[in-house]
Amino acid sequence: MSKAGSTHIEERRLSLLAAVLAFALPVVFVVVPLALFLVYSFFSVDQGTIVYAPTLGNYVRFVTDSIFVPVFWNTIVLCVSVAIICILIAYPAAYLLTTLKGRWRYALLMLLLVPLLMSYVIKIYAIRSILGLNGFLNKALVALGILQQPSTLFVFNMNAILLTLSVLLIPFAILPIFLSLERIPQTLLRASDDLGASGLQTFLRVTLPLSLPGVVSAASFVFVLAIGDFLTPQMVGGVSGFTFGRILYSQFGTAYNWPFGAALSVALAVVVICAILIGERFGRNRGTSV
């Protein structure tokens, strides 16, 4: 065999090895754990001991119990609300960034993304100190005469979880929307201007439709991050702010009921996968239709 042929075979082997590794890592670290959770969800616990006998009892308990399904739906509504709030705040911020020129655009973008480098726990404590009974928000509302005395409306309840998650996840919404806006060809905007369209008409008919895939991606990303978060509800939710993530945490912790926790995780995974698929499909359709 010639040297060139031997080199070609060696390159094909390396390409095949790289492809195998590329698919093997997600399978080992993503698919296998999900499969184990699915298998565990069909087991049960008897007096603190896992019974390795197939049963649908965990799923029956989830559907029939008067606690889990309402909390499940309330958590979904909460996370959808977080996604909407983040989009409403992130879109103007991202749009403003695209109007800047030169280095200022990326300098300000990096400034907006700096909170991602901070500790998650520290950020939660900082927000809790703002929303607390003696926090900045209550003091400002009392000083303005809006409240007669500090209120617990913003801490240790669902409102606190909503506000905290929104503040924490806004940077994750800004980046996809910014990238989507930045990819819009400037020639289209100039053509719209040449045809006599006003700035508002250009935005509504060109910029907004072309940026919708980024908006959908940002909303899906924020929703997935919010629905899987158990630390934020644990720290700012209190007794009134009980979410599905806290139930999951308790099943794997104090309750020591891993099979039931696995069943709840499967239900949550189904919602997350559906959100990702819906976002991907809608974003792709919008991207091809405009």
Side-chain angles (χ1 to χ4, degrees), residues 124-137:
I124 295 176
Y125 272 116
I127 295 173
R128 194 170 76 171
S129 67
I130 295 173
L131 301 178
L133 195 62
N134 296 316
F136 172 80
L137 182 59

Side-chain angles (χ1 to χ4, degrees), residues 84-131:
I84 293 173
I85 292 174
C86 287
I87 294 301
L88 292 177
I89 297 175
Y91 196 99
Y95 184 80
L96 175 63
L97 286 176
T98 59
T99 61
L100 300 178
K101 304 297 182 181
R103 67 182 67 179
W104 289 106
R105 173 185 297 188
Y106 298 101
L108 187 55
L109 176 64
M110 292 301 299
L111 185 63
L112 291 174
L113 298 180
V114 163
L116 298 179
L117 304 177
M118 298 172 59
S119 169
Y120 197 75
V121 176
I122 292 177
K123 288 187 290 186
I124 295 176
Y125 272 116
I127 295 173
R128 194 170 76 171
S129 67
I130 295 173
L131 301 178

Side-chain angles (χ1 to χ4, degrees), residues 178-235:
F178 171 78
L179 294 175
S180 181
L181 289 169
E182 196 178 38
R183 291 194 184 104
I184 298 176
Q186 294 299 311
T187 53
L188 294 178
L189 303 181
R190 288 194 293 268
S192 176
D193 183 63
D194 292 340
L195 291 173
S198 65
L200 179 60
Q201 289 175 325
T202 299
F203 174 78
L204 294 177
R205 297 185 180 182
V206 180
T207 304
L208 183 60
L210 290 177
S211 64
L212 280 182
V215 173
V216 174
S217 298
S220 301
F221 196 23
V222 170
F223 176 82
V224 170
L225 291 175
I227 202 170
D229 193 325
F230 72 90
L231 185 59
T232 300
Q234 190 80 13
M235 295 183 66

